[in-house]
Amino acid sequence: MSTGGWLWVCLQRYVMTATLGWVAASLMLPVLGDDPFWASFGAGLGLGLVVVPFLTVVTMFILVLLAGRRFEPPTGGPSRIRGGWLIVLPLVLLLPVALLVPLQYLIVLGAQLVYLGWVLPCQDARDTAEVLRSLADPAVPAEQRARMARAVAGLQGRVVVEALVQASADADPEVAEAGLETLCTIWRRDGVVGEDLLLKFDPQAQDCVRALGVRVRSPW
């Protein structure tokens, strides 16, 4: 998925999450107060017509800044955007609202955390898994797979590295070169390489990796 497509999906899901959170907050407010239900509920929804668009604009601005850093492989549960905690910062601007309607504020804060911890990462996990599957798919053109192999240089985790190791042994030299190049980038950054992965390469590729000066770690 392109960055633009990812941002569009994020916008749709954020509006839905924030709207549901605010409706829940508006329903709770009259239950705990003495005002007539519909009058209080309407006032809450009216305030939401201002707050939800405000939160959406500020949150999407933060997501635009984070779009290039949404790199976590789908292992150990849903992946999380790196630096995604910044999404809760718009609520700092709404602290005066918390003084007036603390319960509504807490519910909207909960909706923001649900978006960050569950809604937002779902598409990232699927995108990453799809890219890793495509690397090994011979039906995908070699030029496209080579671009994918270079594009995942910012990813972390053994699943990604194993997919690249497999790509570096691809029959197409362009894909194999891109896979090895990306692996060298990742291992140079991490400063360590697993010996079991290193032994999967031919001697020439092993020498290339060892020349990076990284530490070879035994898996046992």
Side-chain angles (χ1 to χ4, degrees), residues 38-167:
W38 291 112
S40 183
F41 178 67
L45 287 182
L47 184 59
L49 293 177
V50 176
V51 174
V52 171
F54 170 78
L55 283 175
T56 301
V57 170
V58 180
T59 302
M60 292 309 300
F61 174 75
I62 292 174
L63 285 176
V64 169
L65 300 178
L66 295 176
R69 291 194 281 156
R70 56 191 179 103
F71 299 128
E72 281 296 332
T75 57
S79 61
R80 281 163 174 75
I81 185 171
R82 292 190 295 130
W85 59 270
L86 292 171
I87 292 173
V88 302
L89 291 183
L91 293 176
V92 175
L93 303 176
L94 293 180
L95 281 176
V97 176
L99 300 177
L100 300 174
V101 279
L103 180 62
Q104 281 187 309
Y105 183 84
L106 289 176
I107 294 176
V108 175
L109 173 61
Q112 200 89 345
L113 293 176
V114 166
Y115 179 75
L116 168 63
W118 184 69
V119 177
L120 179 63
C122 289
Q123 186 64 51
D124 289 342
R126 286 194 292 268
D127 284 351
T128 305
E130 182 61 33
V131 168
L132 297 183
R133 281 194 298 268
S134 298
L135 280 177
D137 187 358
V140 178
E143 182 181 352
Q144 185 177 344
R145 287 194 289 145
R147 283 200 306 269
M148 289 178 181
R150 292 187 173 93
V152 298
L155 297 179
Q156 300 174 0
R158 188 175 178 87
V159 174
V160 175
V161 172
E162 288 179 344
L164 288 169
V165 169
Q166 184 176 354

Side-chain angles (χ1 to χ4, degrees), residues 164-173 175-177 179-181 183-184 187 193-211:
L164 288 169
V165 169
Q166 184 176 354
S168 67
D170 196 87
D172 189 284
V175 176
E177 180 184 354
L180 181 58
E181 176 185 320
L183 283 170
C184 289
W187 287 332
V193 55
E195 186 179 18
D196 58 324
L197 296 175
L198 186 61
L199 292 177
K200 294 181 179 181
F201 293 103
D202 59 63
Q204 183 178 358
Q206 289 184 30
D207 292 340
C208 178
V209 174
R210 293 182 191 276

Side-chain angles (χ1 to χ4, degrees), residues 21-40:
W22 195 268
V23 169
S26 299
L27 284 170
M28 290 296 295
L29 186 63
V31 171
L32 299 178
D34 298 327
D35 298 333
F37 180 88
W38 291 112
S40 183

